[in-house]
Amino acid sequence: MSVFTDDVEKDVFKCKYGAFYDTRNKKDLKLQYTAIVGGFISVSILKKGKFVDTICMLKAWFEIE
């Protein structure tokens, strides 16, 4: 996930699951928060409702209530 055009359109980091601005329009792809682990958020990737993998994102990127 990125707001930078090069990051997304060129996938400069060669992300395993691709690079996106957001996932709102990805009907078969869902990101589901699972836990906070230190300074990271654990997120499950679901494709067509089935678990694919777990990724971590920096907690600082999110507002958690």
Side-chain angles (χ1 to χ4, degrees), residues 25-41:
N25 295 325
K26 305 293 181 193
K27 292 180 173 72
D28 64 340
L29 181 70
K30 181 177 179 181
L31 301 179
Q32 183 175 341
Y33 160 84
T34 55
I36 295 174
V37 182
F40 293 89
I41 293 176

Side-chain angles (χ1 to χ4, degrees), residues 4-36:
F4 300 107
T5 302
D6 281 350
D7 289 356
V8 175
E9 292 183 7
K10 295 179 182 174
D11 192 6
V12 295
F13 297 106
K14 306 295 182 232
C15 299
K16 184 175 182 178
Y17 301 106
F20 308 98
Y21 293 112
D22 62 60
T23 58
R24 287 179 286 190
N25 295 325
K26 305 293 181 193
K27 292 180 173 72
D28 64 340
L29 181 70
K30 181 177 179 181
L31 301 179
Q32 183 175 341
Y33 160 84
T34 55
I36 295 174

Side-chain angles (χ1 to χ4, degrees), residues 31-52:
L31 301 179
Q32 183 175 341
Y33 160 84
T34 55
I36 295 174
V37 182
F40 293 89
I41 293 176
S42 176
V43 177
S44 291
I45 298 174
L46 305 171
K47 191 162 187 167
K48 296 183 180 179
K50 295 186 180 184
F51 175 81
V52 174

